[in-house]
Amino acid sequence: MTADRPAALDPDHHADVSGGWLRPAVFGAMDGLVTNIALIAGVGGGGVSPRSIVLTGVAGLVAGAISMGLGEYTSVRTQNEQVAAEVAKERHELERFPDAEARELVSLWTKRGLPRDLAEQVADILKRNPEEALRVHAREELGVDPEEQPSPWVAAGSSFLCFSVGALVPLLTYLLGFDQLWLALAVGGVGLFVAGALVARFTSRSWLGSGLRQLLLGAAAAAATYAIGALIGINGAP
């Protein structure tokens, strides 16, 4: 797209914000990174063996990925079912009281500055096309498009996969044969920064600022769990 070409002429000038994959993917990746970095820091701070750290990390990866996937599927499906129920109510009202529903649209549009005669004309035309009227009412009254709801399977798969990848990052050094806790946390920190920087690609934020934000948040979580692990490891020693 060039500077002298209107964006409206490009059919792909907007990103797809209706597929339901970006939020669970970002949430899953960040949660996987932070969860396992914090877990490794906590048990490592308690003085356990590298083998126990790997066991804890793998258990956290598997349990967290399954939990995230199931949670996303359930939440998105529940949301879609709620939308479907509300759209069904709207369809029932349109079938029983089309004139009252048309007046409702006119009232909404005139409050936004549309001339009343034009609002009435558009509402009257919509009454002749029940399916389009339903879509318009859903957008205007519910703020949703009934034909563009996120897929619960896409959300679950994105969350499961990205959590697994994120949770694997701080385990890499141990799986490759290195048993230094600081190295695992350093690799996890790099993962947080890279993930934050990649997320900035979908927004207008600076990649550096986004990466540093995720790094600082993850570092705070790791520091807290390390301190708790060290405290319990010392005071709980036989």
Side-chain angles (χ1 to χ4, degrees):
M1 187 187 338
T2 60
D4 57 350
R5 176 182 169 81
L9 297 180
D10 183 357
D12 299 319
H13 68 283
H14 283 302
D16 179 15
V17 296
S18 62
W21 66 270
L22 181 58
R23 183 194 62 82
V26 172
F27 184 33
M30 295 305 178
D31 196 18
L33 277 161
V34 174
T35 296
N36 253 15
I37 289 172
L39 274 174
I40 290 172
V43 295
V48 303
S49 67
R51 182 180 177 84
S52 296
I53 291 177
V54 172
L55 177 60
T56 300
V58 171
L61 186 159
V62 174
I66 293 173
S67 176
M68 288 289 292
L70 291 176
E72 283 292 342
Y73 177 85
T74 303
S75 63
V76 173
R77 179 158 185 169
T78 300
Q79 176 184 316
N80 288 354
E81 289 171 349
Q82 183 185 33
V83 168
E86 293 302 315
V87 170
K89 290 180 186 177
E90 195 62 38
R91 183 189 296 276
H92 182 66
E93 290 299 303
L94 281 168
E95 291 172 351
R96 294 184 62 200
F97 310 110
D99 293 331
E101 290 294 310
R103 288 194 296 272
E104 187 176 18
L105 278 183
V106 171
S107 176
L108 288 171
W109 289 337
T110 53
K111 288 178 181 177
R112 297 177 187 173
L114 198 67
R116 174 166 287 275
D117 57 343
L118 179 58
E120 290 175 345
Q121 182 180 0
V122 175
D124 186 59
I125 293 173
L126 278 177
K127 283 195 299 184
R128 306 170 198 168
N129 188 341
E131 289 304 314
E132 185 60 31
L134 179 63
R135 284 191 288 271
V136 172
H137 277 273
R139 293 190 192 103
E140 295 293 328
E141 297 180 40
L142 304 175
V144 299
D145 188 329
E147 296 185 352
E148 294 187 3
Q149 294 305 297
S151 165
W153 289 108
V154 169
S158 299
S159 182
F160 179 91
L161 178 62
C162 291
F163 184 98
S164 299
V165 172
L168 181 63
V169 170
L171 284 173
L172 287 175
T173 58
Y174 284 101
L175 296 176
L176 292 174
F178 302 95
D179 59 2
Q180 293 90 353
L181 177 62
W182 69 267
L183 185 58
L185 297 180
V187 170
V190 172
L192 280 169
F193 180 84
V194 171
L198 288 175
V199 168
R201 180 179 179 274
F202 300 97
T203 68
S204 59
R205 287 183 57 87
S206 159
W207 66 269
L208 180 61
S210 182
L212 289 175
R213 178 182 64 180
Q214 297 304 324
L215 176 59
L216 291 174
L217 291 173
T225 54
Y226 181 88
I228 293 171
L231 181 64
I232 294 175
I234 293 172
N235 292 342

